[in-house]
């Protein structure tokens, strides 16, 4: 594989979503942590406008990794040591037209470090499937379902996983039936309720509504980020998270708990103020810890997950019931993010996680080569 015995990994990061900056943080962390005795890395930065900036081969970590660029300084302003050295700017369509294999170069496996739309929603996964390239993480179905909260909840229900009440609708129906939708939410969900874009992560566009006026404003805010909205029932609960790793026989980490610095765990609480606490392992009864790990694996299998995901739960305070909230197929992946920290507590280091994810990607790709597509 690759040059010599080292595996050549294409790191794809940045992207067009509102989580562009989060992706950059992930890319820097991964670049610093890889074992360069095992891997050679090629960075592929995607601008906010969707243009690809392929970089030169990194056979060793840059000497001044802490000073790596995150945003392009101009077509002529990049250097070969930058995380995003600017070479030929290729648009998304140009990459597709040239052929993904040619566009990505001679990589052995692709590691998409893209959060949100156009990254963990099945789009780039579909591109890589068409090119028959191995890649880390969930496939097209699991990625798209993991992004679409309404579809995700439908699959959870089919798997018998308990969850909060919810309603979902599109911009078209909101514009056509606004008052009827508001009436239905008030009757079926009540206040307070949480309003979210159906297809986005990192709590972008999420609002808490306490009355009809706030509910209408929250829907309008969510529709800025997606054509579909989901409104969820409020539960007074603790927020418990579990990391899952594997393909057909996934395993779950110890459970952790998020104690938010804000009224709920929104974008500011996650990435800006730095005051939210992660308690690992979560201080919960042994039987609850076992149950939440089992439910995390069930959720992973319900969406046909692969590689990794983080499963998020509510532990209702009134009766101790566990309710699944969502899964994230490309969770935050810096060394200080919940997913790696959960595995660290379980006995798996950050570098070992990277190794395992590469192995899982290659194994899954090898299995796919057994499929007869009738060609």
């Amino acid at each position: 594989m690759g040059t010599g015995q080292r595996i050549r990994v294409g790191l794809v990061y940045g992207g067009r979503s509102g989580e562009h900056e989060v992706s950059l943080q992930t890319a820097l962390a991964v670049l610093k942590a890889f074992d360069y005795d095992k891997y050679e890395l090629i960075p592929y930065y995607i601008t906010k406008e969707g243009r690809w900036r392929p970089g030169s081969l990194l056979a060793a970590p840059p000497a001044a990794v802490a000073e790596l660029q995150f945003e392009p300084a101009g077509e002529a302003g990049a250097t070969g040591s930058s995380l995003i050295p600017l070479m030929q700017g290729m648009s998304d369509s140009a990459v597709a037209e040239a052929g993904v294999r040619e566009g990505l170069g001679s990589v052995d496996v692709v590691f998409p470090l893209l959060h949100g739309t156009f990254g963990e929603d099945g789009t780039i996964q579909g591109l890589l499937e068409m090119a028959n390239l191995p890649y880390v993480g969930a496939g097209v179905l699991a990625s798209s379902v993991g992004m679409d909260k309404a579809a995700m909840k439908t699959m959870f229900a089919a798997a018998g996983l308990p969850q909060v009440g919810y309603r979902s609708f599109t911009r078209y129906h909101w514009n056509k039936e606004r008052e009827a939708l508001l009436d239905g939410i008030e009757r079926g969900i009540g206040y307070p309720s949480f309003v979210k874009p159906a297809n986005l992560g990192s709590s972008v566009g999420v609002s808490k509504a306490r009355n009809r006026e706030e509910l209408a404003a929250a829907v309008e805010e969510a529709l800025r980020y997606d054509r579909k909205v989901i409104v969820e029932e409020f539960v007074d609960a603790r927020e418990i998270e579990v990391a899952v790793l594997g393909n057909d026989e996934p395993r779950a980490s110890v459970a952790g708990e998020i104690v938010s610095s804000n009224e709920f765990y929104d974008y500011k609480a996650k990435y800006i103020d730095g005051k939210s606490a992660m308690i690992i392992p979560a201080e919960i009864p042994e039987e609850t810890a076992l149950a939440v790990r089992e439910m995390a694996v069930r959720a992973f299998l319900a969406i046909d997950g692969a590689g990794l995901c983080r499963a998020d739960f509510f532990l209702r305070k009134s009766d101790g019931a566990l309710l699944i909230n969502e899964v994230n197929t490309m969770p935050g992946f810096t060394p200080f993010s919940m997913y790696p920290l959960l595995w660290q507590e379980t006995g798996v280091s950050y570098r070992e996680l990277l190794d395992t994810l590469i192995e899982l990607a290659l194994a899954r790709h090898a299995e796919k080569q057994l499929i007869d597509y009738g060609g």
Side-chain angles (χ1 to χ4, degrees), residues 120-152:
E120 59 177 308
D121 59 355
T123 50
I124 194 168
Q125 289 79 12
L127 194 66
L128 296 171
E129 290 282 358
M130 291 180 67
N132 198 30
L133 277 170
Y135 59 93
V136 169
V140 175
L141 175 65
S143 296
S144 57
V145 169
M147 179 60 60
D148 189 317
K149 296 177 178 65
M152 184 195 311

Side-chain angles (χ1 to χ4, degrees), residues 286-310:
E286 179 71 20
E287 59 271 22
T288 303
L290 292 173
V292 76
R293 295 175 75 175
E294 184 268 338
M295 286 177 65
V297 169
R298 285 174 59 196
F300 182 86
L301 294 173
I303 66 164
D304 192 27
L308 74 164
C309 91
R310 192 193 68 235

Side-chain angles (χ1 to χ4, degrees), residues 12-43:
V12 182
Y13 61 97
R16 293 169 56 194
S17 86
E19 300 178 71
H20 182 98
E21 284 73 20
V22 180
S23 174
L24 301 185
Q25 295 176 31
T26 300
L28 179 59
V30 169
L31 182 75
K32 293 164 67 175
F34 258 112
D35 183 348
Y36 285 84
D37 290 332
K38 295 181 181 180
Y39 306 100
E40 294 177 329
L41 273 61
I42 304 178

Side-chain angles (χ1 to χ4, degrees), residues 2-333:
T3 302
Q5 297 300 309
R6 289 192 285 187
I7 298 173
R8 186 169 289 188
V9 181
L11 294 182
V12 182
Y13 61 97
R16 293 169 56 194
S17 86
E19 300 178 71
H20 182 98
E21 284 73 20
V22 180
S23 174
L24 301 185
Q25 295 176 31
T26 300
L28 179 59
V30 169
L31 182 75
K32 293 164 67 175
F34 258 112
D35 183 348
Y36 285 84
D37 290 332
K38 295 181 181 180
Y39 306 100
E40 294 177 329
L41 273 61
I42 304 178
Y44 292 87
Y45 172 67
I46 304 176
T47 71
K48 292 181 179 180
E49 295 72 38
R51 301 187 69 83
W52 291 60
R53 311 292 195 189
S56 53
L57 179 70
L58 298 175
V65 73
E67 299 176 2
L68 292 171
Q69 291 177 241
F70 273 147
E71 293 291 354
E75 291 295 330
T79 65
S81 63
S82 170
L83 180 60
I84 50 171
L86 307 186
M87 296 175 64
Q88 178 185 3
M90 297 187 293
S91 68
D92 293 340
S93 59
V95 172
E97 290 167 6
V100 182
R101 278 193 173 277
E102 181 180 349
L104 285 173
S106 56
V107 298
D108 299 310
V109 61
V110 178
F111 202 148
L113 301 172
L114 299 164
H115 301 287
T117 45
F118 309 110
E120 59 177 308
D121 59 355
T123 50
I124 194 168
Q125 289 79 12
L127 194 66
L128 296 171
E129 290 282 358
M130 291 180 67
N132 198 30
L133 277 170
Y135 59 93
V136 169
V140 175
L141 175 65
S143 296
S144 57
V145 169
M147 179 60 60
D148 189 317
K149 296 177 178 65
M152 184 195 311
K153 288 181 180 297
T154 299
M155 296 188 79
F156 288 163
L161 292 164
Q163 54 191 328
V164 301
Y166 70 96
R167 297 287 188 278
S168 180
F169 49 88
T170 63
R171 178 184 288 108
Y172 171 82
H173 289 100
W174 173 249
N175 290 335
K176 188 176 181 180
E177 307 164 4
R178 178 180 306 227
E179 296 307 313
L181 286 171
L182 290 171
D183 289 342
I185 292 167
E186 288 182 331
R187 289 193 304 269
I189 302 297
Y191 298 113
S193 57
F194 286 100
V195 184
K196 307 175 182 180
N199 289 276
L200 203 61
S202 292
S203 299
V204 175
V206 177
S207 305
K208 186 176 182 178
R210 300 165 186 81
N211 53 54
R212 193 180 183 96
E213 182 180 359
E214 289 185 358
L215 177 60
V219 171
E220 294 289 349
E221 173 68 10
L223 286 171
R224 290 179 55 201
Y225 300 99
D226 190 34
R227 62 178 292 274
K228 184 163 40 171
V229 168
I230 187 165
V231 182
E232 297 177 348
E233 172 191 9
F234 167 78
V235 290
D236 185 15
R238 297 164 66 182
E239 297 186 42
I240 307 296
E241 300 186 349
V242 177
V244 181
L245 180 67
N247 286 337
D248 295 310
E249 296 182 342
R251 54 190 171 125
S253 72
V254 300
E257 180 175 3
I258 293 290
V259 180
S260 177
S261 62
N262 215 333
E263 188 173 5
F264 63 97
Y265 198 39
D266 60 3
Y267 189 92
K268 179 180 178 182
K270 284 186 178 183
Y271 300 115
I272 297 175
D273 65 17
K275 297 177 182 178
S276 294
M278 293 184 286
I279 301 172
I280 305 173
E283 297 173 356
I284 54 179
E286 179 71 20
E287 59 271 22
T288 303
L290 292 173
V292 76
R293 295 175 75 175
E294 184 268 338
M295 286 177 65
V297 169
R298 285 174 59 196
F300 182 86
L301 294 173
I303 66 164
D304 192 27
L308 74 164
C309 91
R310 192 193 68 235
D312 301 347
F313 296 85
F314 295 126
L315 179 60
R316 195 159 55 202
K317 293 179 181 179
S318 61
D319 59 2
L322 279 169
L323 304 169
I324 185 142
N325 179 23
E326 62 183 13
V327 293
N328 189 320
T329 57
M330 188 59 225
F333 206 82

